[in-house]
Amino acid sequence: MALETWLAFFVACWVISLSPGAGAVASMSAGLQYGFWRGYWNALGLQLGLALQIAIVAAGVGAILAASALAFSLIKWFGVAYLVFLAYKQWVALPSDLDAGATERPSGRPLTLVLRGFLVNASNPKAIVFMLAVLPQFINPHAPLLAQYLVMGLTMIVVDLIVMAGYTGLASRVLRALRTPRQQRVMNRSFAALFAAAAGLLATVKRAAV
């Protein structure tokens, strides 16, 4: 891959990662609930989901998913259901009264957080269709394809890890300002509303006409 092509793709990765979406909401939610270091396991799960999507596009399966109404709908509605589930879990999350001396945050299991992040990204067919439209524009068909997809995949994952670290860290800082159960409940329900909004947006996504 030529350097100028990679630089253009690198800039595109930042724009894509910084755009608000379900992954950003999930990262902020994890940072708020568990703090940065524990919550960042969610970001690792997001990258596993992203890696799966890149592999699907690289293998050509993405074209099949984009063309199949049934496959697209199954993945889409699973994603909608999962985001609604996350909204419910966030809505009913119990606050802890930090003013009363409770200093420990909820101890989310790393594997649970990784799975949560993975499902958020893996259940978004829009991302697969988007990458199917974007990635080939940076591909040189006369050069080895596998190496190019590996470079682009690694670039996307590294950039997204940095961006999600920012979202997670920002939310974990906000947690320090939430001193009372009432304040934490308002924040939890705000994130529940964001998850629900992400589910609503995903529900409106339609398969591109072929």
Side-chain angles (χ1 to χ4, degrees):
M1 176 179 287
L3 179 59
E4 57 270 20
T5 302
W6 179 83
L7 288 175
F9 181 71
F10 180 67
V11 172
C13 287
W14 281 97
V15 174
I16 294 168
S17 291
L18 287 169
S19 301
V25 175
S27 292
M28 290 187 289
S29 173
L32 179 71
Q33 287 185 286
Y34 307 109
F36 178 78
W37 294 111
R38 182 58 64 99
Y40 197 57
W41 285 100
N42 172 84
L44 297 181
L46 289 172
Q47 304 321 306
L48 290 177
L50 178 60
L52 175 62
Q53 291 172 335
I54 295 171
I56 287 174
V57 172
V61 180
I64 298 175
L65 291 177
S68 170
L70 177 59
F72 187 92
S73 294
L74 287 175
I75 296 175
K76 182 182 82 170
W77 289 110
F78 173 78
V80 169
Y82 186 65
L83 288 173
V84 169
F85 169 74
L86 291 181
Y88 167 76
K89 294 289 288 183
Q90 195 75 47
W91 185 272
V92 300
L94 296 176
S96 58
D97 191 347
L98 300 182
D99 282 337
T103 58
E104 294 186 0
R105 292 169 175 168
S107 56
R109 295 180 179 179
L111 287 179
T112 300
L113 290 172
V114 169
L115 179 60
R116 169 176 163 171
F118 172 78
L119 289 175
V120 167
N121 263 357
S123 62
N124 186 358
K126 182 181 178 181
I128 295 177
V129 175
F130 177 79
M131 283 193 286
L132 188 64
V134 172
L135 294 187
Q137 299 182 40
F138 297 93
I139 289 291
N140 178 359
H142 304 295
L145 296 180
L146 179 59
Q148 294 180 79
Y149 275 114
L150 287 175
V151 169
M152 290 194 298
L154 182 61
T155 301
M156 289 187 72
I157 288 172
V158 169
V159 168
D160 206 53
L161 279 171
I162 295 172
V163 171
M164 293 309 142
Y167 281 128
T168 306
L170 176 64
S172 68
R173 292 280 184 176
V174 169
L175 180 63
R176 298 179 181 178
L178 303 178
R179 306 302 302 174
T180 68
R182 181 179 179 277
Q183 291 172 323
Q184 293 174 50
R185 188 178 297 109
V186 169
M187 184 60 70
N188 284 338
R189 293 185 175 180
S190 296
F191 275 108
L194 289 174
F195 276 124
L201 288 174
L202 183 57
T204 65
V205 172
K206 296 181 179 180
R207 186 173 62 91
V210 293

